Amino acid sequence: MTKVLINEQLVEEKDATIQYNDRGFVFGDGIYEYLRVYNNKIFTAQEHFERLLRSAREIQLDVNHTVDSLTELAKELVAVNKVVNGGIYLQITRGSAPRDHRFPSPDIQPTLMGFTKSYGRPFKEMDQGIYAVTTEDIRWLRCDIKSLNLLGNVLAREYAEKYNASEAIQHRDGIVTEGSASNAYAVKDGVIYTHPTNNYILNGITRQVIKWICKDENIPFKEETFSLEFLKSADEIIISNTSIEVMGVTKLDGEQVGDGQVGPITKQLQTCFNHYIDTKCV
Ligand SMILES: *Cc1c(COP(=O)(O)O)cnc(C)c1O
């Protein structure tokens, strides 16, 4: 039986219950992380948990955890559920308290919840590429926080679903921001362009890995905004996140991207990604 982490305890799934008035449930008042497991080990744990602690600080949530204690909890969860390849979801909310928009009293403990999933790497999609659509970015202006408030992202993803696409690439005032749950890149004349890390996008760890690879491989990586028109004229389009790694978009809004195949820069990033799997797992 798979176990779930509830407030530092590993419990059976059927016993993994949360209070009806938990602020995560009532207000979406919390933050989360999603990490990848490769060969029983956790990928870029340090980067993910540093980001989780940053998200917590940004919403003024005191979590009595460190990168090390969170990594230990995640390791226990992976071990007990015997995850070989898969993912770890971990969220922390501002705890359960009578419904009131104001923060609860400081003695209310945050609620921590974590679970794992087992699945392999998306090799088929990486080879073939995926289909994406574009849509208006209607999210709030603190997209840099990995918060539980995902309604804008959920609506964007469901819009993609309607068109049988795997992802919706969002744009705000004509500027491409990111996917519903991924960062987005346009490749033009051998240069990778992606939105700078500010309040309009989530600073992806996979984006960081791509940046490392670009440095290693001397691929120009420009953190500059670009327009929807620029995206549509790109040689290659890439999306990235912890689950899908580096994924080529071969069709956008029903039109072929470049020659309709996964492009050379995308393939180079995919190949080099393996080096970081080998060196960044704990
Ligand atoms: C988590 C997330 C990403 C990707 O981040 P990774 O750390 O690479 O998984 C991108 N955009 C949004 C909106 C996200 O929630």
Side-chain angles (χ1 to χ4, degrees):
M1 284 296 269
T2 148
K3 297 227 172 163
V4 176
L5 187 66
I6 303 281
N7 297 327
E8 290 81 33
Q9 304 291 328
L10 290 165
V11 301
E12 292 293 343
E13 217 169 7
K14 64 171 172 39
D15 302 320
T17 52
I18 302 284
Q19 290 279 326
Y20 77 96
N21 58 3
D22 190 280
R23 292 179 66 97
F25 181 51
V26 177
F27 294 120
D29 187 359
I31 45 144
Y32 76 103
E33 269 302 319
Y34 190 75
L35 301 86
R36 197 73 158 94
V37 178
Y38 296 116
N39 308 312
N40 308 96
K41 289 187 171 175
I42 306 172
F43 183 58
T44 53
Q46 168 117 11
E47 287 79 2
H48 278 279
F49 289 133
E50 277 174 2
R51 184 173 69 188
L52 184 73
L53 295 178
R54 177 191 181 271
S55 294
R57 276 198 306 278
E58 292 299 316
I59 68 159
Q60 299 162 57
L61 174 62
D62 272 327
V63 301
N64 25 35
H65 273 290
T66 61
V67 167
D68 286 347
S69 68
L70 290 164
T71 306
E72 275 320 302
L73 285 175
K75 278 186 180 172
E76 281 176 34
L77 199 54
V78 166
V80 75
N81 288 334
K82 302 184 173 62
V83 184
V84 181
N85 290 295
I88 310 162
Y89 177 88
L90 206 141
Q91 76 166 44
I92 307 178
T93 76
R94 212 181 302 274
S96 82
R99 186 180 182 279
D100 185 331
H101 286 62
R102 292 172 296 179
F103 288 1
S105 85
D107 53 281
I108 298 294
Q109 289 305 302
T111 311
L112 187 144
M113 183 276 280
F115 62 83
T116 59
K117 274 172 41 172
S118 290
Y119 59 98
R121 297 179 60 191
F123 293 121
K124 183 168 159 267
E125 292 85 352
M126 288 197 292
D127 284 344
Q128 295 180 352
I130 54 115
Y131 173 31
V133 290
T134 60
T135 189
E136 182 82 26
D137 193 337
I138 61 161
R139 300 173 303 158
W140 73 328
L141 298 177
R142 288 305 305 276
C143 297
D144 56 308
I145 301 170
K146 216 165 171 71
S147 110
L148 298 180
N149 281 269
L150 291 174
L151 203 42
N153 311 61
V154 165
L155 292 175
R157 182 63 178 77
E158 190 57 24
Y159 175 78
E161 202 60 22
K162 205 171 85 184
Y163 291 95
N164 281 313
S166 308
E167 181 57 302
I169 299 178
Q170 304 168 101
H171 50 87
R172 199 188 284 275
D173 300 326
I175 298 295
V176 173
T177 51
E178 63 176 335
S180 72
S182 61
N183 291 114
Y185 314 76
V187 181
K188 191 79 186 167
D189 302 324
V191 180
I192 302 183
Y193 296 86
T194 196
H195 197 289
T197 51
N198 57 20
N199 61 304
Y200 292 112
I201 68 157
L202 195 281
N203 187 357
I205 307 302
T206 320
R207 181 186 183 282
Q208 181 64 53
V209 176
I210 290 175
K211 201 171 158 180
W212 290 335
I213 296 170
C214 287
K215 192 155 177 276
D216 299 340
E217 300 287 304
N218 290 312
I219 302 167
F221 184 83
K222 289 213 155 77
E223 302 179 81
E224 291 172 9
T225 59
F226 56 86
S227 68
L228 188 56
E229 283 67 46
F230 185 82
L231 182 75
K232 294 196 171 189
S233 70
D235 302 329
E236 300 176 40
I237 296 174
I238 302 168
I239 57 171
S240 78
N241 71 26
T242 294
S243 259
I244 61 172
E245 304 177 6
V246 180
M247 191 64 76
V249 175
T250 48
K251 199 164 72 154
L252 185 74
D253 292 336
E255 305 275 338
Q256 186 174 295
V257 177
D259 64 2
Q261 306 287 307
V262 175
I265 299 266
T266 309
K267 283 188 177 157
Q268 191 179 356
L269 295 174
Q270 288 172 338
T271 304
C272 296
F273 196 84
N274 294 316
H275 163 71
Y276 284 98
I277 293 179
D278 292 341
T279 55
K280 286 274 179 186
C281 282
V282 294

